[in-house]
Amino acid sequence: MTSKMLGGEKVQETTASDAVENDLHRGLKSHQIQLLAISGVIGTGLFVGTSGVLSSAGPAGLLLGYCFWCVLLVFVAHAMGEMSAYLPVPGSFATHIGRYIDPSAGTAMGWVYAYRIFTAADCTALTGLWSYWFPDINPGVWVACTLSVVFVLNCLAVKYFGEAEFYASIFKVFLIFGFLLFTFIVVVGGNPQHDRIGFRYWKDPGAFNTQYVDGGLGRFLAIWGVFNTAAFAIGGPDFIANCAPEAVNPRRNIPKAVKRVIYRLIFFFILSVLAVGMLVPYNDPNMLTAIASGNGVAKSPFIIAMNRLEIPFLPDLCNALVITSAWSCTNCLLFQASRTVFGLAKNGRAPKIFARTTKSGVPLPALLLSIAVASLAFLTCNTASAVVLNWFINLGSTAIMIAYILMMAANLRFHQGLKAQGIDVSVLPFKSRLTPWSNYVGIFFVSLILLTNGYGIFISGHWSFSGFFTAYFTIVFFVVIYLGWKITKRTSFVKPEDMDFRTGLDEVEAHENSLEFKTPQTRYEKFLDWLF
């Protein structure tokens, strides 16, 4: 292992011979990566969180907001895919940001992303789900149980962790299809009341709701408010990037994941929010009461629809399925946090102890730190779970928006560096047809959403300190770390001709050359290759 200077900062350069010692292991296969990306984002944000934005924006507003956010998500995925497929190194996009923009930006982004509170958010949501059955048990019991289970699962070697989450992901896919099938049967009249619902609720009470003011402006503000929840509920690009350092044959499997998983996620989410808007009117009194009281799964649109139609047993079954799904999502989010801390330590941007791994390649010190931060979920012991969950959603959503902005900015700089150093883009395993224009459009809109995500608190009569804090604290946190690192380490913006395209490349190429790719022969093999 050698050191080199980048942007005024000394970083560690790992060679192929170093890579196998005291490092992550490449154990994630293509099918695991693709379904892990689905597993990591399908959780309470979809099954429970959509009720809040349905009530504020209406079914059409909810659908439009999610559709627009999904377009931005495709832009981010393509930007991330180009860099992660070419250099699948520890720290993933935080490392790329540090190499192509500024080491201080990479450091700040890594710490903000690692503690974007999504793990604590899903853990908090789980306490509300358990309270559906056990309202008298202290929420801290469920937090402790959740964190214990996900910690043990994350201690497994990555190939076993990946296989466990692979089957959990298949379960989630069937769960989504089950909800969509339930919606179809219900809206065409296959329910105990034989009531053909169709798009009735798009007419009464209406397709759009207003927020803060009436008329067109109120509808626009309601749709704009959807983006914050969408950022929490829909992900994917960041998880694929975090899988890259532990992926088998990443230069083949990461492009496949980008091309296929993102569109499948969009397919699942868009159809799901369409189903939500067909099942429940945005002014349903039971939903509004559940949202106000924070009554866990009772505010899930699917359970509300089951209770409205007086369908027995299904609400309890739905609760059990959503708990399983949310537990899996929490497991994946803890995986991401620990790998981000590990990547920071490998690049000298966190204490060296967090770069240590077990013999099976598990970054145990980074995992322990991540589980400690996730313990913020114990806040729900003294405050309603819905309130704490909203805090975490706002904190996490702003963090992921900052990450998306910097991913696309890093991709612009990535291409500038390739051009300055005479590296032809034909060497990229994945070349997007959307860049660079998708980056410009994406940076503009995500930045605008980020800066205005707390607009509601500035409207007369709606001021809330907690709302202001959760809407803008993450931005301040990022700036403080960025400036602190820049001043103490005296880093500078990386010039295109000085960008590091070599560190870690030897290990990737050595791994790639050690593999034997078998061309699919039978129809079954070709189908599996297409599917995964």
Side-chain angles (χ1 to χ4, degrees):
M1 181 176 290
T2 59
S3 298
K4 65 183 295 184
M5 298 301 294
L6 179 65
E9 179 189 52
K10 181 181 287 188
V11 297
Q12 299 297 321
E13 182 174 4
T14 305
T15 63
S17 60
D18 298 323
V20 296
E21 183 179 352
N22 194 34
D23 211 341
L24 302 176
H25 294 182
R26 293 195 179 276
L28 291 177
K29 299 179 182 179
S30 177
H31 68 283
Q32 294 171 334
I33 295 171
Q34 296 193 42
L35 284 176
L36 274 170
I38 294 175
S39 179
V41 296
I42 296 180
T44 54
L46 174 62
F47 298 127
V48 179
T50 48
S51 59
V53 284
L54 172 64
S55 66
S56 62
L62 171 65
L63 183 62
L64 288 175
Y66 270 61
C67 285
F68 184 73
W69 185 257
C70 284
V71 171
L72 298 178
L73 203 66
V74 172
F75 295 164
V76 176
H78 279 242
M80 175 282 304
E82 288 190 333
M83 298 182 294
S84 292
Y86 181 67
L87 273 177
V89 292
S92 61
F93 59 85
T95 300
H96 297 144
I97 291 167
R99 289 192 186 189
Y100 309 136
I101 300 179
D102 181 355
S104 298
T107 302
M109 186 66 261
W111 282 111
V112 168
Y113 179 82
Y115 299 110
R116 70 196 198 284
I117 318 296
F118 277 5
T119 305
D122 271 73
C123 192
T124 300
L126 272 165
T127 66
L129 300 177
W130 283 111
S131 67
Y132 181 75
W133 290 324
F134 309 103
D136 298 327
I137 294 182
N138 190 296
V141 174
W142 307 122
V143 174
C145 291
T146 300
L147 293 181
S148 298
V149 171
V150 297
F151 175 75
V152 170
L153 289 173
N154 270 268
C155 286
L156 298 176
V158 70
K159 63 180 180 180
Y160 301 117
F161 169 87
E163 202 64 18
E165 278 300 319
F166 170 72
Y167 290 108
S169 303
I170 291 177
F171 167 79
K172 288 187 179 185
V173 171
F174 281 110
L175 178 59
I176 292 287
F177 276 115
F179 280 136
L180 294 178
L181 181 61
F182 165 79
T183 302
F184 175 76
I185 293 173
V186 165
V187 298
V188 298
N191 55 72
Q193 300 176 9
H194 304 290
D195 182 13
R196 294 184 180 180
I197 299 173
F199 283 88
R200 177 188 304 165
Y201 301 135
W202 286 56
K203 299 177 181 179
D204 181 21
F208 294 93
N209 195 8
T210 59
Q211 197 166 23
Y212 302 115
V213 295
D214 295 327
L217 178 60
R219 288 190 288 270
F220 173 78
L221 292 176
I223 295 173
W224 198 260
V226 172
F227 298 136
N228 204 43
T229 302
F232 169 74
I234 313 177
D238 51 317
F239 194 85
I240 295 173
N242 281 320
C243 286
E246 297 175 79
V248 175
N249 199 0
R251 291 191 157 183
R252 179 173 181 270
N253 292 331
I254 296 302
K256 288 176 67 175
V258 172
K259 294 174 183 177
R260 299 173 187 181
V261 170
I262 295 302
Y263 300 106
R264 291 173 187 174
L265 285 171
I266 292 172
F267 173 79
F268 288 136
F269 276 99
I270 296 303
L271 283 185
S272 295
V273 296
L274 175 63
V276 165
M278 297 175 70
L279 287 172
V280 183
Y282 68 72
N283 63 351
D284 180 84
N286 293 326
M287 182 174 69
L288 297 178
T289 301
I291 292 172
S293 63
N295 191 14
V297 78
K299 66 180 181 179
S300 168
F302 296 102
I303 285 190
I304 290 171
M306 294 169 189
N307 288 327
R308 283 174 63 91
L309 296 168
E310 300 177 351
I311 302 176
F313 304 113
L314 275 184
D316 288 306
L317 176 61
C318 179
N319 190 36
L321 296 176
V322 173
I323 284 176
T324 305
S325 175
W327 217 320
S328 169
C329 191
T330 305
N331 189 37
C332 289
L333 292 171
L334 182 63
F335 172 90
Q336 293 187 72
S338 63
R339 268 49 180 185
T340 303
V341 174
F342 173 83
L344 287 168
K346 289 289 288 184
N347 287 292
R349 295 164 186 164
K352 292 182 180 179
I353 189 174
F354 297 120
R356 295 181 181 178
T357 62
T358 64
K359 292 182 179 179
S360 57
V362 177
L364 187 59
L367 180 60
L368 289 170
L369 181 62
S370 301
I371 205 78
V373 175
S375 297
L376 286 170
F378 281 104
L379 286 172
T380 193
C381 293
N382 293 322
T383 309
S385 63
V387 176
V388 177
L389 178 59
N390 285 333
W391 292 347
F392 289 154
I393 286 176
N394 290 338
L395 288 168
S397 297
T398 51
I400 203 66
M401 289 181 203
I402 295 172
Y404 288 170
I405 292 167
L406 289 177
M407 280 188 209
M408 292 183 282
N411 184 263
L412 290 172
R413 297 275 295 162
F414 175 73
H415 281 277
Q416 291 176 5
L418 291 176
K419 185 177 180 180
Q421 298 185 28
I423 303 175
D424 194 272
V425 293
S426 62
V427 303
L428 299 180
F430 172 70
K431 178 67 180 74
S432 172
R433 297 179 181 180
L434 303 178
T435 56
W437 302 110
S438 59
N439 290 327
Y440 293 122
V441 174
I443 290 172
F444 173 78
F445 279 108
V446 178
S447 299
L448 187 61
I449 294 169
L450 172 66
L451 294 175
T452 60
N453 83 94
Y455 73 90
I457 60 177
F458 299 108
I459 296 176
S460 178
H462 293 87
W463 168 257
S464 164
F465 176 76
S466 63
F468 175 80
F469 180 83
T470 55
Y472 296 106
F473 169 77
T474 306
I475 300 176
V476 176
F477 185 45
F478 174 86
V479 172
V480 168
I481 296 177
Y482 174 79
L483 293 177
W485 195 265
K486 197 168 193 62
I487 292 171
T488 56
K489 299 295 183 178
R490 299 182 183 277
T491 64
S492 58
F493 287 99
V494 183
K495 298 178 180 178
E497 57 270 21
D498 296 333
M499 290 180 184
D500 181 11
F501 293 103
R502 288 299 312 173
T503 301
L505 191 62
D506 291 340
E507 185 273 330
V508 174
E509 292 179 342
H511 169 75
E512 190 177 28
N513 293 332
S514 69
L515 299 173
E516 293 184 8
F517 177 69
K518 181 182 178 182
T519 304
Q521 301 294 331
T522 65
R523 290 183 178 180
Y524 177 69
E525 290 177 345
K526 290 178 180 179
F527 171 74
L528 289 181
D529 184 65
W530 169 83
L531 186 61
F532 298 121

